[in-house]
Amino acid sequence: MRLRLPEYPDNKRTTILSVLLILLITSIVMFRQLTNDMYFSCITPDTLAYTSWAVQFIEALKEGIAYPRWLPLNFWGYGSPTFILYSPFAFYLTAFFNIFLDSVISAMNVAKFTALFISGVGVFFLVKEVYSNKIGIMASVFYIIFPYNILQFYFFGSFANTISFMWFAPIMLFAYRYFKNGQYKYLILSGTCYGGLIFTHLINAYMFALVIATFIIYMCIINRRSNNLIAIPAIVITGILISAAYFLPLLYEKNFIALDASVQKTSGAIFSDFFILPDTRSKFSDDHFWQIYYDTFLFHVIFLGILILLFFLQMKKIKGIEAETHSKIITKFFFGLSAGSLFFLFGISAFIWELMPFFRFIQFPIRWLNITTFSVVFMSAAMFYRISQGYKSPKNLLLVVIIFFICIFLDFKYINSAPMFERTELLPVKGVNWTLEHLPTGVDVDNIDKDEHEQNYVDIIKGRGKLDIIRWNSSNRIFHAVAEEDIILKIKTFNFPGWTANINGSQIEIKTEEKTGSMVIAIPEGQHVLELNFTDTPVRHYGKIISFFSFIILLAIFILELINKSQTKLMSEGK
């Protein structure tokens, strides 16, 4: 008995219908988030932080700041340079949807929906490139309903982390097309998408840099063409140029941020505490997420391991015609990637975490499960391909039915049991005071004033006078000072590079109070207008210029490419 899936022609109409199907499946999966003005997550600190950052980011945009970097509410009103450290794209996406919605939380949910949809479309085009249209649509649907993805979008995934999934497949797709067609434009496209990933989530960008470098090295070995190794610097450099507005300031100004707090035993996340094995749950309190959800993570590690084995066996059975052999080559890479990413979840990999530069900043080994899921979904294409070719026994089709049933059952369970934060719990937002890695260096959080009342934002610590706050915006503060004698002000704002002070239009020096990091400013006798502005440092300014002109140049290249294609088509039709 031969079982065959129906054949679908690979044309534009079929592609559009496939994308619409992906949109429908995504809408069903994300329906609960799209129809509720609540934020879905099981991690309270993350939820409070991301909603607070989103609101502050949007308010800064409304003030006319094109690239907000300073969030004024954090750390009891001292503020923080959060978006020097944190990639902003997910919050720009939220700001865009907030134009059409009356709720920042709803805008965040729509942003997550959009990311899952684009991720599914990316998987469709990637698998389609290697196999066929119908295999691509099956893999895409499998990706959208994959239970670990549902857990990310409803339970564990930090906001920007889930948004960043949209870049994985396009990066791989264009890199693969470079090896398939040899056209350098695909390296530029892959690099542009990698720049988008940097601009969305830096940790995932670092992890995916290792993925794409491994893929390129693998393809160079398979093709025996070492000159194609140029793809690695081409993609990375293009990505850095596109994201220079964010990446270059981070690269330089990370020295002014207490970045190591994220990986310190006293306050951060130590990777060795979050391996699947050895089991370290006893280190945590009963209400810690690792204690509560460890068994869930363990189940998904086992589930993914079983799928890796099953799909690998399916791949081995693909016959050896040329196209199929090429599919096996790519699928073998994803087999290695899925197995390798699982390896990082176990204590045996600790030496790599210690030796690899910046590896410890990944913090949680379970972050690698996002790469494992992506890889396993691609490997599933081998199973779908074999079924599409027909079999004497229906056991493989039954296997697919069982796997999809398990996914749908788990999805239903996770979606219906997902923890929710009501709008009243999140709004109006409060400052984020626990992300110590966002503190300027030299600040001792135990010494700063934790009174959040606005009337305590400025103190006269020497001399006699009066000070009125005229404006207190995110990046602009104006005061009217009446000094009976020379006075010294202590302003409850961290003195971070970029803050400038002007008295009556003339710039003056800002000093920094030891341990608290507060601004200290001397005001001469008399009446004055004091203005504080958070401005671009040179590296921020030139980073923006590099990003802008990189984007313009790349856009011009592709417009010229389209013009050349149109002219060539017209000439051929004329003949």
Side-chain angles (χ1 to χ4, degrees):
M1 176 191 243
R2 292 174 64 80
L3 298 172
R4 288 188 178 274
L5 295 174
E7 294 291 338
Y8 298 104
D10 189 1
N11 54 37
K12 288 184 178 180
R13 181 175 178 273
T14 305
T15 298
I16 292 171
L17 291 174
S18 298
V19 171
L20 290 175
L21 177 60
I22 295 168
L23 178 62
L24 175 63
I25 301 298
T26 308
S27 300
I28 293 171
V29 166
M30 295 294 286
F31 181 78
R32 198 168 182 215
Q33 294 197 35
L34 293 174
T35 56
N36 281 284
D37 190 19
M38 293 176 282
Y39 193 85
F40 291 75
S41 177
C42 68
I43 304 177
T44 301
D46 279 0
T47 301
L48 297 177
Y50 295 123
T51 51
S52 175
W53 293 350
V55 170
Q56 292 183 71
F57 191 89
I58 291 170
E59 287 303 312
L61 287 173
K62 291 178 180 178
E63 292 171 15
I65 302 166
Y67 189 154
R69 300 183 197 262
W70 188 268
L71 300 186
L73 299 181
N74 296 348
F75 296 108
W76 301 278
Y78 282 82
S80 69
T82 293
F83 285 100
I84 297 290
L85 179 62
Y86 211 81
S87 304
F89 177 80
F91 299 90
Y92 277 115
L93 193 61
T94 301
F96 172 75
F97 289 120
N98 191 60
I99 295 172
F100 310 101
L101 301 167
D102 64 352
S103 167
V104 172
I105 298 170
S106 295
M108 294 175 76
N109 289 337
V110 173
K112 289 199 291 181
F113 160 80
T114 303
L116 183 58
F117 167 64
I118 294 175
S119 299
V121 172
V123 169
F124 165 68
F125 280 102
L126 175 61
V127 174
K128 172 186 172 183
E129 191 79 14
V130 179
Y131 288 93
S132 67
N133 190 93
K134 64 181 178 183
I135 306 303
I137 191 63
M138 292 184 71
S140 176
V141 171
F142 187 49
Y143 178 81
I144 293 169
I145 69 169
F146 200 85
Y148 192 74
N149 277 338
I150 301 303
L151 276 174
Q152 289 296 288
F153 280 86
Y154 276 89
F155 275 78
F156 308 122
S158 65
F159 179 57
N161 171 58
T162 54
I163 301 297
S164 72
F165 297 168
M166 63 190 286
W167 300 109
F168 290 178
I171 293 170
M172 294 298 298
L173 170 63
F174 293 125
Y176 171 69
R177 282 185 178 177
Y178 165 70
F179 284 98
K180 186 177 178 181
N181 302 321
Q183 298 181 24
Y184 288 105
K185 69 177 181 180
Y186 292 119
L187 292 184
I188 297 174
L189 284 168
S190 183
T192 301
C193 292
Y194 183 66
L197 181 55
I198 295 174
F199 211 59
T200 307
H201 197 271
L202 186 62
I203 292 177
N204 280 350
Y206 171 68
M207 295 166 65
F208 216 78
L210 303 177
V211 172
I212 197 67
T214 305
F215 175 71
I216 291 167
I217 293 169
Y218 171 80
M219 292 300 291
C220 287
I221 293 171
I222 293 296
N223 296 333
R224 298 179 181 178
R225 296 185 63 180
S226 59
N227 60 317
N228 285 339
L229 286 171
I230 193 176
I232 297 175
I235 291 172
V236 172
I237 291 172
T238 301
I240 289 173
L241 290 175
I242 288 292
S243 63
Y246 159 70
F247 188 74
L248 292 185
L250 171 65
L251 195 64
Y252 176 71
E253 294 180 348
K254 63 179 175 53
N255 299 315
F256 306 117
I257 303 172
L259 186 58
D260 280 343
S262 64
V263 290
Q264 289 174 353
K265 193 70 176 177
T266 54
S267 58
I270 310 302
F271 66 85
S272 58
D273 288 344
F274 296 96
F275 285 129
I276 290 296
L277 291 175
D279 181 355
T280 58
R281 280 179 288 178
S282 60
K283 294 183 178 182
F284 301 100
S285 61
D286 290 342
D287 61 349
H288 194 277
F289 91 95
W290 190 243
Q291 183 77 263
I292 297 170
Y293 292 104
Y294 174 85
D295 289 336
T296 302
F297 286 117
L298 179 61
F299 166 79
H300 281 277
V301 169
I302 295 171
F303 182 55
L304 283 162
I306 292 171
L307 291 181
I308 290 170
L309 180 60
L310 287 174
F311 296 157
F312 177 74
L313 293 175
Q314 295 288 329
M315 177 198 70
K316 295 290 286 184
K317 294 177 182 178
I318 293 178
K319 296 179 181 180
I321 66 171
E322 183 178 353
E324 293 171 334
T325 301
H326 195 61
S327 300
K328 287 178 69 173
I329 288 172
I330 306 302
T331 307
K332 282 180 179 178
F333 167 77
F334 281 102
F335 166 72
L337 180 60
S338 60
S341 55
L342 274 186
F343 171 73
F344 292 129
L345 274 66
F346 295 91
I348 194 173
S349 69
F351 71 98
I352 297 178
W353 287 82
E354 296 285 358
L355 292 176
M356 281 283 290
F358 308 112
F359 220 76
R360 62 197 177 104
F361 287 102
I362 295 174
Q363 300 174 297
F364 303 102
I366 53 172
R367 289 185 191 271
W368 283 103
L369 283 181
N370 297 325
I371 305 296
T372 312
T373 298
F374 177 68
S375 305
V376 166
V377 167
F378 187 93
M379 290 181 66
S380 71
M383 178 179 65
F384 300 140
Y385 176 78
R386 292 199 69 231
I387 291 174
S388 73
Q389 297 305 300
Y391 282 94
K392 294 179 180 179
S393 168
K395 63 180 181 181
N396 286 309
L397 185 60
L398 178 62
L399 177 63
V400 173
V401 172
I402 291 171
I403 291 173
F404 270 76
F405 175 79
I406 292 172
C407 290
I408 293 170
F409 172 78
L410 291 173
D411 290 349
F412 183 81
K413 174 185 174 182
Y414 294 151
I415 291 171
N416 279 281
S417 63
M420 298 174 294
F421 288 82
E422 298 279 353
R423 181 172 182 170
T424 53
E425 297 178 78
L426 303 174
L427 302 174
V429 298
K430 297 181 180 179
V432 179
N433 307 324
W434 54 88
T435 53
L436 301 184
E437 66 273 20
H438 295 193
L439 280 172
T441 53
V443 174
D444 185 345
V445 74
D446 293 329
N447 284 297
I448 66 176
D449 176 17
K450 297 178 176 60
D451 186 345
E452 299 186 64
H453 296 295
E454 185 175 313
Q455 59 265 31
N456 295 322
Y457 280 0
V458 184
D459 287 326
I460 299 174
I461 58 176
K462 184 178 180 182
R464 291 178 299 144
K466 182 182 177 183
L467 194 80
D468 293 319
I469 300 175
I470 307 301
R471 178 186 300 161
W472 187 279
N473 288 345
S474 59
S475 296
N476 174 256
R477 286 91 191 265
I478 299 176
F479 312 87
H480 180 253
V482 179
E484 299 176 19
E485 57 183 336
D486 292 353
I487 61 175
I488 296 178
L489 304 178
K490 174 184 172 182
I491 299 178
K492 189 176 176 179
T493 299
F494 294 129
N495 186 19
F496 191 81
W499 278 110
T500 61
N502 293 277
I503 291 182
N504 303 327
S506 299
Q507 187 166 336
I508 59 170
E509 180 185 9
I510 303 176
K511 294 184 178 180
T512 305
E513 184 177 59
E514 188 177 355
K515 292 188 178 181
T516 71
S518 301
M519 295 182 181
V520 177
I521 298 176
I523 304 288
E525 181 183 350
Q527 294 192 36
H528 307 282
V529 174
L530 169 65
E531 184 170 7
L532 303 177
N533 289 292
F534 190 68
T535 60
D536 283 342
T537 58
V539 70
R540 295 174 207 161
H541 174 72
Y542 289 113
K544 286 180 179 178
I545 290 176
I546 291 170
S547 286
F548 176 76
F549 281 103
S550 296
F551 179 78
I552 293 297
I553 290 169
L554 294 179
L555 184 63
I557 289 172
F558 287 106
I559 289 174
L560 289 173
E561 176 80 12
L562 290 174
I563 292 172
N564 289 334
K565 278 187 177 180
S566 299
Q567 290 177 342
T568 303
K569 183 178 180 180
L570 288 172
M571 290 176 64
S572 62
E573 289 175 353
K575 291 180 180 179

